[in-house]
Amino acid sequence: CRIAYMLLKGINPKHILALTFTRKAANEMRMRVAQKLKEIQYHRMEEIENLTIGTFHEFCHKVLRFHGKFVGHPSFQICEGKRQNRILKDILREMAEKGDLDNPKLMSIFCPAEDGERNLKEEKNIVQTFKSAIA
């Protein structure tokens, strides 16, 4: 296990970053490191708490939460479920008040043009869906 080897060589656990794609793989990685260190009777087991082992998503979220102020996001959060819906509805309401629900840029997101031709019927359906959502 490369991480165990690095710890044995005296590398500070705070300087070790191990990333993977899934939580399951990250948990397995943590277990393997702990198991390997126990096998070789590593004498500073408490240090493994200082390792950063996780998913890319988890790591990036942590970086943005703690350092977001440096990139213009001082209170970075991931919105979930009901909060996402509320924010979207607020945006759509504001756009409706400005008469901007059929904005071509917005439509290009929800109804991309096929062969350069805008589908006006589909755009009209989307605008109606937006209006229903904020009613």
Side-chain angles (χ1 to χ4, degrees):
C1 177
R2 195 172 289 182
I3 294 172
Y5 177 79
M6 292 167 72
L7 291 170
L8 286 172
K9 289 293 184 184
I11 294 175
N12 185 332
K14 291 180 181 178
H15 297 160
I16 298 173
L17 172 64
L19 298 177
T20 186
F21 292 100
T22 66
R23 287 184 190 150
K24 182 179 177 184
N27 291 334
E28 188 174 315
M29 202 182 304
R30 280 187 203 96
M31 288 181 4
R32 285 184 180 184
V33 169
Q35 181 181 351
K36 186 66 172 177
L37 291 173
K38 284 178 188 172
E39 284 175 14
I40 60 175
Q41 298 177 347
Y42 184 67
H43 60 284
R44 295 184 308 224
M45 287 298 286
E46 70 282 353
E47 286 186 353
I48 65 172
E49 294 297 317
N50 293 323
L51 290 169
T52 301
I53 299 175
T55 64
F56 287 95
H57 180 265
E58 177 185 13
F59 175 72
C60 292
H61 179 246
K62 192 178 290 187
V63 168
L64 285 170
R65 248 190 16 247
F66 291 108
H67 305 291
K69 62 184 170 226
F70 299 112
V71 292
H73 295 283
S75 60
F76 179 83
Q77 298 176 21
I78 293 178
C79 296
E80 306 238 354
K82 290 180 182 177
R83 186 157 183 239
Q84 286 176 353
N85 290 339
R86 192 185 77 237
I87 291 169
L88 246 161
K89 283 182 181 181
D90 289 346
I91 292 168
L92 290 173
R93 238 181 240 111
E94 188 176 314
M95 290 180 77
E97 288 170 7
K98 293 178 183 177
D100 212 13
L101 278 181
D102 57 355
N103 179 306
K105 285 185 180 179
L106 179 66
M107 285 301 114
S108 70
I109 294 168
F110 292 98
C111 184
E114 293 179 23
D115 300 324
E117 295 291 321
R118 290 174 55 194
N119 184 335
L120 297 178
K121 183 178 178 183
E122 184 63 25
E123 287 182 15
K124 189 175 180 178
N125 289 340
I126 290 170
V127 169
Q128 195 55 46
T129 302
F130 290 162
K131 287 179 179 178
S132 297
I134 60 177

